Amino acid sequence: MSNAKERKHAKKMRNQPTNVTLSSGFVAERSTKYHNGGGRPFQAQKQEPFSGTSRQRQTKMTHHSPVDPDVKEQSSSKIMFKKKGGWKAGPEGTSQEIPKYITASTFAQARAAEISAMLKAVTQKSSNSLVFQTLPRHMRRRAMSHNVKRLPRRLQEIAQKEAEKAVHQKKEHSKNKCHRARRCHKKRVLEFNRRQKKNIWLETHIWHAKRFHMVKKWGYCLGERPTVKSHRACYRAMTNRCLLQDLSYYCCLELKGKEEEILKALSLMCSIDAGLTFAAVHCLSGKRQGSVLLYRANKYPREMLGPVTFIWKSERISGHTSESRQLWIWLHPTLKQDILEELKSACQCVEPVKSAVCIPSLLPTTSEEKSQTVLPDEKIGKKRKWKDDGENAKPFKKVIGDGTRDPRQPSSWISPATGIIISDLTMEMNRLRLIGPLSHSILTEALKAASVQTEGEDTEKTPHHWWIETCKNPDSVSLHHRQEAVFELLGGITSPAEIPAGTVLGLTVGDPRINLPQKRSKVFPNPEKCQDNEKVRQLLLEGVPVDCAHSFIWNQAICKNVTENKISDQDLNRKRSELLVPGSQLVLGPQESRIPILLIQQPGKVTGDERQGWGSGWDVLLPKGWGMAFWIPFIYRGARVGGLKESVVHSQYKSSPDIPSDFPDCPAGVVFAEEQAKNLLEKYKRRPPAKRPNYVKLGTLAPFRCPWEQLTQEWESRVRSQEKSSGASSPSGEESDSRRDKLPCAPTPENTDPRSDEGGTSQSSSSKPQDGVATECLARLGTGWVAGQDATGSLPCVLRSRKWLKQLSTWCGPSSGDQRAARRALGSGQPAPTRAACLSLLDRFPRALVWVSLALLRKGSPEPHSMICVPAEEDILQLRQDRLYSGPQEPKHSDPFKSEIRKQKERNKVEKRQNQARAEPEGLAGAHPAAGHPALTLGLWSGPLPVVTSHCSRVLLGFVTQGDFSMAVGGGEGLGFVSLTGLLDMLSRQPAAERGLVLLRAPASLQYRFARVAVEV
Amino acid sequence: MVENREPRAAVEAELDLVEYTLRKRLPHRLSWRPSDIYVNMKTDFKAQLACCQKLLDRGAWVQNSCTEIYIHGLGLAISRAINIALQLQAGSFGSLQVAANTSTVELVDELEPETDTREPLTRIRNDSAIHIRVFRVATK
């Protein structure tokens, strides 16, 4: 028996009963008869582990029972109880040595002693682990160590003792500040202000921080996604109920001035070719919200700045003349810097103005704290402000300001020539977005139009003078009543998509906190309101009348007043508690705040045929400071809250581009792509090489970023070289085009073309592994596109001309794959792109990208950075034969970098060894050249990319930027960009029935899947 | 006034359809109770039938149980709505009765202008709709 085994056994036997002492009377008896019975078989099985040690133990234990027979008795009894084998082996091996008789009483007594010993051993804890740790895994429960009562009853006592012990051992809590002092309001506010120094908090930040994963983005702290598992729940809320989002981080720029001047300046920055501009009639009247794509002045197809939405302040026909108009441009914070700069140069607004000087009427009483963030010339840093806070008894609640600019910088600029004033109203307003059909019910339930203040009753005391002034004017009162009536009508409309897109409705509402329900509840539309009456019909047809779009939120003085005179929650609750009848309606009368708001309808999905109006909703604009006061009432009416992830999902299902990520042609999009690539690379490198996909072997050249520029250039040179190779191909090409109109299956002559092309690429891809071929390809194409690269800017150009997009969407062929549609398309002469049209388009937009949506035919769901490829001829043939054909496979590539990496590693090792051998300073010097090598990462292509289009067996067309399983469709759905040249080339080659079919391949997969391309306008 | 507006809008739209983009708006729904079922052509027939059956089969002890449901069908979905109602009736061994109503629904088509100088137009189309009340009768 080995030593280790012995020790182990000794440990096991440590708590064996030692108190089995028997009276000598029957010991003698037993020792003679019984002992042998145990002893003999036991010796026969010498290999049994217990024998030796139990003997040893017994010799040790002799002091307990000095009598020798006693010991023997013990040993035998012990063996019998511990070792079953020994007990059993006895009778079998030597049957004659079974004791002839057993005295029942003594035997029972002995067993009883053993049992009691066993019980005792069980109750005593042997190891120094906690009770919880001794419990078998299947009996452990959550938070058992926290709550003793979750343990099994028998262990509770011991656990209690342990817990007490642990408490005593714990270090005493620092008592320099009691809990109450630490949570004191003033301290907390200071602390909060410190924490939002770098990244601005929204007004709903604390609410979000308790429930959301927060990220620091764009100078703000934003909720990314809820901590609860709610992906599907949020989708359902968007589809059937209501999803609430805080979009207060969106920036607002205000332009004031003469209408003609503003329009003249802005017309440089946008083009009618890409959609309606700022001058659209219905937007100009202030009735609707418009959306527009901004470009650098006079650079239309290129140098995109970003998409914005805008609202003109409605003219009040009676009051103002059209002398001075007000325009709000809402944009994403990432786009702000560029657009603001461009706006300033377009409007020639160069002179920064002190807000107090330039708009004295707007900021009449600039109180200390707010003016600090607004006023440029007051050199008051944050520290100074803190001191002020310390001196004043009441620190202001939050730093209200803007995260995307330096607080000392000016926030408004005036142009001496045109008189246009641009001011930056970021964070001056809150913007809450309600998405989904129940948003009407929630709005009408949560908001009540303000009651008109009649004169007489103590109107002097109230701080809300502006409302009293308004109520004196009969015109305003009647307008208010009309707005109220329209607002009430909304409650009877079951979906925001029934209302004209971008409708603007102004309103003045009472304090929404007053009629807050006791508990969170769900509202349902009131069936009585859903009367199909004439008024609803008129609203649906005509939209909201122009004058109802007026709101006092445009007037900054009133907004300021409203923000400053907000009753704090504390006061409101105190007043509520002082009510005579608890739970009854609180009536504040003239003390109640009236809040001007602006409701803007957001159209849902407008492009495409399916799911019309999905994701439509309302945006609510509020004066600052009132965010939480509206937030909670909305939630108490049953709105679910989503974060940034939900807005990405929303834009994806709406098949509209997501703002920073889906604009590769604007600077913000480029920055975003770079950041994303960096993050993904870091994440990739964190995994061990064996546990991550080897993208080189998978043939994915750029798994983390999309090389748009290279893609478009390669396509251009590719098409050009094809034209050259086919010689005088233009007549034959047109011939084939005309022929294809008649025949669904394309004739052979030009079929040979892609096939030969295909063969070439597959050859190159099969021989690709060698690095030399790649560089050769590069060299072959190099001369063509390197020159081109110099000529153009670094940003790609995206086709956004509505005319051409419409043309493209008809070219993309039968939108549904069934034969009837195909036939109809043929019959009506759904043309293939004609050569002349293609050429004129390509001339106008050389090297452009097109935004496409992709619907998977069968299985699969695209991921971001999936590759969109041109299907080969045989793929389409196979698909035609077998409708269930899922798609071809990419042959595995070989990894030319692997051996290099190995070599490098070996080299490094050798160097290290040498360095260690050498002296220290020398070693340090020697390490540098090794670091100078380009760090190769296993599984990623290093160095400049080879030809991306023909790297794989199918020709690359573009990349997916957003893609996932779409719960709205019930299948995979993706959005992405393809090369315009490539798309036209592909469409002209494909037969009409299969026009618009592409292949999709995820970066970490070899399987291609079929998808249908659609250009949606 | 809608009647006045309609022909003018139609004529205008036909004149310059190139300058407008047609956007169909969602049809106006009557109400949104749990017992209202709007039949569409996209969801599987069986699933819609099961949905109706489930609503009817909920016992009286359930909080919002329906003794009657309303099946609404519009346009192409009329035949499907009728089919569902009849299937429900056939499967109920005489305990369900149906009562149908027809109506005309006004659909709004929005014409979005392509040029800045034009106002957006709306056109009204009419489409037929059916509203079938399926209700339980006491079996004798």
Side-chain angles (χ1 to χ4, degrees):
Chain A
M1 188 180 286
S2 71
N3 234 354
K5 263 187 179 174
E6 268 178 38
R7 250 181 283 129
K8 198 174 165 192
H9 179 67
K11 201 178 167 192
K12 264 190 182 172
M13 298 299 279
R14 201 170 56 192
N15 286 306
Q16 284 306 303
T18 51
N19 58 345
V20 189
T21 47
L22 303 166
S23 63
S24 55
F26 63 85
V27 163
E29 213 174 40
R30 275 187 69 126
S31 63
T32 49
K33 276 130 199 173
Y34 196 64
H35 167 59
N36 286 343
R40 269 287 194 80
F42 164 53
Q43 286 197 349
Q45 332 178 317
K46 197 82 196 201
Q47 74 270 27
E48 286 296 332
F50 295 98
S51 51
T53 39
S54 56
R55 280 272 165 86
Q56 283 173 7
R57 255 184 99 78
Q58 279 142 31
T59 52
K60 267 188 226 163
M61 284 190 291
T62 41
H63 64 273
H64 280 293
S65 45
V67 194
D68 193 33
D70 202 332
V71 174
K72 277 177 185 165
E73 168 61 38
Q74 232 183 48
S75 92
S76 75
S77 66
K78 197 168 281 172
I79 285 158
M80 279 185 291
F81 118 70
K82 187 69 193 172
K83 193 63 209 158
K84 259 192 179 170
W87 176 243
K88 267 184 192 161
E92 278 166 23
T94 48
S95 59
Q96 76 272 23
E97 285 185 277
I98 291 174
K100 294 272 170 17
Y101 59 90
I102 296 170
T103 319
S105 62
T106 51
F107 187 78
Q109 210 173 349
R111 298 291 88 74
E114 280 170 358
I115 288 169
S116 68
M118 272 196 290
L119 284 177
K120 200 181 169 195
V122 163
T123 50
Q124 268 177 355
K125 194 161 59 71
S126 59
S127 61
N128 54 357
S129 56
L130 295 174
V131 182
F132 170 68
Q133 289 164 335
T134 59
L135 215 56
R137 241 168 239 285
H138 70 276
M139 288 176 72
R140 294 185 189 176
R141 294 292 180 268
R142 191 173 56 86
M144 257 183 177
S145 48
H146 172 69
N147 186 355
V148 174
K149 293 204 171 151
R150 288 178 200 235
L151 280 165
R153 176 83 44 89
R154 65 186 167 81
L155 298 177
Q156 281 180 7
E157 217 173 301
I158 311 168
Q160 189 77 48
K161 265 180 218 157
E162 273 175 4
E164 276 164 18
K165 217 157 92 188
V167 166
H168 286 305
Q169 281 170 353
K170 225 182 228 170
K171 223 170 43 178
E172 275 296 298
H173 207 79
S174 66
K175 284 279 177 191
N176 51 356
K177 277 180 201 166
C178 67
H179 177 78
R180 207 178 144 78
R182 270 180 280 130
R183 302 286 290 183
C184 152
H185 182 68
K186 208 161 111 188
K187 298 269 168 54
R188 283 181 84 195
V189 168
L190 281 181
E191 181 67 11
F192 287 168
N193 283 346
R194 184 189 64 77
R195 272 156 58 188
Q196 53 180 313
K197 226 196 283 184
K198 209 176 260 175
N199 291 290
I200 292 291
W201 290 1
L202 304 185
E203 283 174 25
T204 53
H205 176 86
I206 293 172
W207 189 95
H208 271 103
K210 290 173 184 167
R211 296 160 181 89
F212 275 66
H213 294 285
M214 304 301 283
V215 287
K216 295 190 169 71
K217 253 187 178 176
W218 313 316
Y220 297 92
C221 272
L222 302 173
E224 200 203 2
R225 56 180 203 280
T227 47
V228 291
K229 217 173 167 181
S230 64
H231 182 64
R232 192 172 288 265
C234 286
Y235 163 69
R236 284 188 181 143
M238 280 188 255
T239 324
N240 299 324
R241 274 170 238 121
C242 181
L243 188 84
L244 179 62
Q245 283 177 322
D246 190 357
L247 294 189
S248 306
Y249 60 92
Y250 265 63
C251 305
C252 179
L253 301 179
E254 188 187 54
L255 268 73
K256 284 175 110 182
K258 283 184 190 157
E259 187 181 307
E260 310 86 67
E261 296 284 354
I262 293 181
L263 283 180
K264 207 176 86 191
L266 290 178
S267 66
L268 302 176
M269 292 178 64
C270 49
S271 163
I272 187 69
D273 200 26
L276 297 183
T277 63
F278 289 99
V281 182
H282 54 286
C283 299
L284 197 57
S285 65
K287 200 173 149 187
R288 307 276 182 90
Q289 174 193 247
S291 63
V292 79
L293 298 165
L294 289 186
Y295 289 83
R296 276 197 198 285
N298 295 324
K299 291 262 175 80
Y300 157 56
R302 302 198 159 265
E303 306 212 25
M304 158 99 172
L305 286 176
V308 297
T309 58
F310 63 91
I311 334 169
W312 286 92
K313 185 185 175 183
S314 69
E315 296 172 81
R316 289 181 68 188
I317 305 128
S318 56
H320 300 265
T321 55
S322 68
E323 266 299 291
S324 172
R325 295 291 309 261
Q326 229 172 319
L327 169 70
W328 278 350
I329 299 176
W330 283 89
L331 40 88
H332 195 269
T334 50
L335 311 172
K336 191 177 135 188
Q337 283 309 324
D338 296 311
I339 290 185
L340 187 60
E341 287 308 309
E342 193 60 29
L343 272 179
K344 275 197 280 183
S345 66
C347 301
Q348 302 158 359
C349 291
V350 279
E351 283 183 19
V353 271
K354 274 181 157 187
S355 45
V357 176
C358 101
I359 4 175
S361 59
L362 297 183
L363 298 165
T365 54
T366 42
S367 73
E368 270 291 294
E369 64 269 11
K370 270 147 209 164
S371 63
Q372 276 162 14
T373 53
V374 178
L375 287 181
D377 294 353
E378 273 184 72
K379 306 264 182 195
I380 298 176
K382 298 239 167 174
K383 277 182 187 166
R384 169 79 189 282
K385 198 191 295 173
W386 279 18
K387 269 181 214 158
D388 287 351
D389 288 345
E391 286 156 20
N392 301 344
K394 194 177 139 201
F396 66 94
K397 199 171 173 198
K398 271 171 201 170
V399 174
I400 299 178
D402 172 19
T404 55
R405 66 152 188 251
D406 187 5
R408 287 185 209 172
Q409 274 172 6
S411 67
S412 60
W413 299 266
I414 192 166
S415 146
T418 54
I420 301 176
I421 304 169
I422 298 181
S423 26
D424 186 354
L425 294 187
T426 306
M427 296 298 283
E428 291 293 304
M429 271 174 288
N430 278 303
R431 191 182 179 112
L432 309 182
R433 176 166 288 179
L434 294 153
I435 304 166
L438 277 194
S439 47
H440 278 160
S441 328
I442 286 178
L443 278 176
T444 45
E445 195 72 21
L447 309 179
K448 293 275 174 277
S451 54
V452 173
Q453 198 64 52
T454 49
E455 281 186 75
E457 21 157 327
D458 51 11
T459 45
E460 301 308 309
K461 287 180 223 159
T462 171
H464 314 292
H465 291 295
W466 67 274
W467 182 244
I468 291 164
E469 289 302 313
T470 314
C471 289
K472 279 177 188 160
N473 186 350
D475 282 352
S476 315
V477 172
S478 79
L479 177 63
H480 177 69
H481 284 308
R482 259 180 294 153
Q483 284 177 341
E484 189 182 346
V486 172
F487 181 65
E488 286 304 317
L489 278 184
L490 286 184
I493 295 169
T494 42
S495 165
E498 293 174 24
I499 292 177
T503 302
V504 176
L505 173 64
L507 199 62
T508 310
V509 295
D511 196 332
R513 291 172 294 178
I514 284 180
N515 46 11
L516 195 69
Q518 295 283 328
K519 272 203 291 188
R520 198 186 156 190
S521 57
K522 280 181 190 160
V523 288
F524 285 101
N526 189 355
E528 280 149 34
K529 275 188 190 166
C530 300
Q531 302 301 325
D532 189 20
N533 59 19
E534 191 59 35
K535 276 184 192 164
V536 170
R537 207 164 134 225
Q538 197 180 336
L539 176 65
L540 293 187
L541 267 182
E542 313 242 313
V544 176
V546 186
D547 49 348
C548 285
H550 170 261
S551 168
F552 291 106
I553 199 171
W554 289 94
N555 188 339
Q556 290 197 351
I558 288 179
C559 278
K560 197 155 190 55
N561 184 338
V562 168
T563 306
E564 276 164 11
N565 294 319
K566 181 189 169 195
I567 305 179
S568 70
D569 281 357
Q570 195 186 7
D571 291 343
L572 198 75
N573 288 336
R574 204 187 46 241
K575 277 184 184 160
R576 203 175 271 153
S577 70
E578 283 165 4
L579 278 176
L580 281 180
V581 184
S584 64
Q585 180 76 28
L586 182 66
V587 181
L588 288 178
Q591 299 294 325
E592 186 186 346
S593 307
R594 270 72 177 198
I595 308 109
I597 62 169
L598 202 61
L599 297 165
I600 306 165
Q601 197 256 7
Q602 293 295 323
K605 190 173 188 293
V606 284
T607 58
D609 309 324
E610 303 217 316
R611 312 200 304 277
Q612 282 290 321
W614 186 91
S616 54
W618 287 90
D619 276 12
V620 187
L621 299 189
L622 312 167
K624 72 179 168 191
W626 281 90
M628 275 315 279
F630 280 75
W631 187 256
I632 295 295
F634 286 153
I635 290 167
Y636 267 50
R637 293 334 194 279
R640 179 177 273 277
V641 180
L644 291 177
K645 205 194 91 197
E646 277 65 40
S647 48
V648 171
V649 169
H650 181 229
S651 71
Q652 188 193 329
Y653 290 0
K654 238 170 50 166
S655 63
S656 66
D658 180 47
I659 282 187
S661 62
D662 288 339
F663 289 89
D665 52 343
C666 84
V670 174
V671 170
F672 175 85
E674 272 167 15
E675 255 170 41
Q676 194 189 26
K678 212 179 79 193
N679 290 342
L680 285 174
L681 180 65
E682 258 173 30
K683 206 177 164 192
Y684 180 78
K685 278 183 176 171
R686 276 206 296 270
R687 314 209 91 198
K691 300 282 185 293
R692 64 193 189 196
N694 185 335
Y695 287 119
V696 179
K697 278 191 174 175
L698 289 164
T700 312
L701 286 180
F704 306 133
R705 65 191 176 85
C706 308
W708 301 119
E709 193 62 11
Q710 198 181 343
L711 179 84
T712 48
Q713 270 155 358
E714 277 175 23
W715 262 106
E716 199 176 34
S717 53
R718 194 185 164 83
V719 168
R720 207 173 286 153
S721 67
Q722 273 170 21
E723 274 168 19
K724 270 180 205 158
S725 66
S726 58
S729 66
S730 53
S732 81
E734 275 180 3
E735 223 177 78
S736 63
D737 277 345
S738 57
R739 217 182 308 158
R740 208 177 287 120
D741 286 347
K742 293 162 207 155
L743 293 173
C745 180
T748 39
E750 73 275 7
N751 276 8
T752 55
D753 197 355
R755 205 174 285 160
S756 68
D757 187 65
E758 185 52 51
T761 52
S762 65
Q763 261 177 26
S764 75
S765 74
S766 61
S767 57
K768 172 100 302 150
Q770 279 70 36
D771 217 1
V773 178
T775 49
E776 214 175 271
C777 286
L778 201 67
R780 183 159 49 82
L781 277 167
T783 50
W785 60 266
V786 169
Q789 206 168 29
D790 296 334
T792 60
S794 59
L795 294 181
C797 160
V798 177
L799 178 67
R800 299 190 200 274
S801 155
R802 287 181 63 83
K803 196 183 87 187
W804 282 110
L805 282 176
K806 273 184 184 171
Q807 186 69 62
L808 259 185
S809 74
T810 55
W811 281 344
C812 273
S815 55
S816 57
D818 62 330
Q819 287 192 333
R820 205 177 43 167
R823 214 176 299 135
R824 207 193 309 144
L826 280 178
S828 67
Q830 191 80 283
T834 61
R835 202 167 178 74
C838 286
L839 283 179
S840 70
L841 175 56
L842 289 178
D843 274 348
R844 180 98 203 280
F845 300 97
R847 292 194 283 276
L849 296 171
V850 194
W851 170 254
V852 292
S853 68
L854 303 144
L856 272 284
L857 286 196
R858 318 216 133 265
K859 279 171 85 172
S861 63
E863 294 166 25
H865 303 291
S866 289
M867 288 159 281
I868 306 171
C869 302
V870 181
E873 202 65 28
E874 66 258 22
D875 302 335
I876 289 191
L877 279 178
Q878 224 161 342
L879 181 71
R880 209 178 291 161
Q881 282 161 8
D882 177 14
R883 282 273 145 207
L884 299 176
Y885 178 55
S886 58
Q889 290 245 349
E890 169 76 19
K892 237 183 215 170
H893 296 231
S894 77
D895 187 351
F897 301 106
K898 206 168 182 180
S899 57
E900 250 178 70
I901 290 173
R902 198 176 297 141
K903 266 183 220 158
Q904 199 177 337
K905 233 182 222 169
E906 273 165 24
R907 220 182 300 136
N908 280 354
K909 236 179 231 170
V910 170
E911 266 175 27
K912 211 179 258 175
R913 219 169 286 149
Q914 284 170 350
N915 287 348
Q916 278 171 356
R918 263 185 264 156
E920 279 292 306
E922 267 180 303
L924 279 174
H928 280 291
H933 279 286
L936 292 175
T937 314
L938 185 65
L940 284 182
W941 199 277
S942 68
L945 297 183
V947 188
V948 286
T949 45
S950 55
H951 181 72
C952 299
S953 65
R954 305 295 184 276
V955 186
L956 185 72
L957 197 61
F959 294 96
V960 170
T961 55
Q962 297 180 43
D964 199 356
F965 181 85
S966 163
M967 284 188 282
V969 179
E973 199 191 30
L975 299 164
F977 288 99
V978 294
S979 158
L980 176 63
T981 327
L983 183 69
L984 288 176
D985 187 55
M986 185 192 82
L987 290 177
S988 65
R989 282 166 200 284
Q990 281 180 336
E994 278 97 13
R995 199 175 293 147
L997 275 188
V998 289
L999 289 172
L1000 279 185
R1001 184 161 74 95
S1005 149
L1006 290 172
Q1007 178 76 47
Y1008 287 98
R1009 305 273 185 199
F1010 279 106
R1012 189 169 283 285
V1013 156
V1015 176
E1016 291 178 346
V1017 201
Chain B
M1 68 162 291
V2 172
E3 282 69 29
N4 295 341
R5 190 186 171 77
E6 194 180 356
R8 186 170 57 90
V11 166
E12 236 175 285
E14 260 153 50
L15 279 179
D16 33 46
L17 258 182
V18 194
E19 313 229 337
Y20 285 98
T21 318
L22 180 81
R23 300 236 189 269
K24 292 177 182 175
R25 250 190 252 156
L26 279 192
H28 181 58
R29 281 188 174 187
L30 283 181
S31 56
W32 193 309
R33 289 164 297 183
S35 60
D36 276 311
I37 297 203
Y38 288 86
V39 174
N40 61 10
M41 293 305 285
K42 221 176 135 196
T43 312
D44 187 42
F45 176 80
K46 246 181 134 180
Q48 295 187 8
L49 184 67
C51 177
C52 299
Q53 191 69 57
K54 215 165 143 192
L55 276 180
L56 284 168
D57 286 349
R58 281 196 303 204
W61 59 87
V62 181
Q63 198 186 2
N64 44 2
S65 63
C66 319
T67 52
E68 53 177 24
I69 59 169
Y70 297 87
I71 302 173
H72 307 268
L74 176 70
L76 192 59
I78 289 179
S79 62
R80 182 172 270 197
I82 295 172
N83 206 347
I84 285 176
L86 292 180
Q87 288 285 332
L88 284 175
Q89 197 189 12
S92 70
F93 304 106
S95 69
L96 287 178
Q97 285 289 325
V98 295
N101 256 326
T102 57
S103 71
T104 306
V105 174
E106 282 182 347
L107 302 177
V108 184
D109 288 349
E110 200 165 348
L111 290 165
E112 257 185 27
E114 292 285 303
T115 52
D116 280 340
T117 47
R118 288 176 190 278
E119 282 268 355
L121 297 175
T122 47
R123 274 196 304 188
I124 292 198
R125 269 181 304 130
N126 286 326
D127 206 344
S128 26
I130 193 165
H131 315 276
I132 309 173
R133 189 168 78 103
V134 182
F135 54 98
R136 235 170 238 295
V137 287
T139 44
K140 285 146 199 170

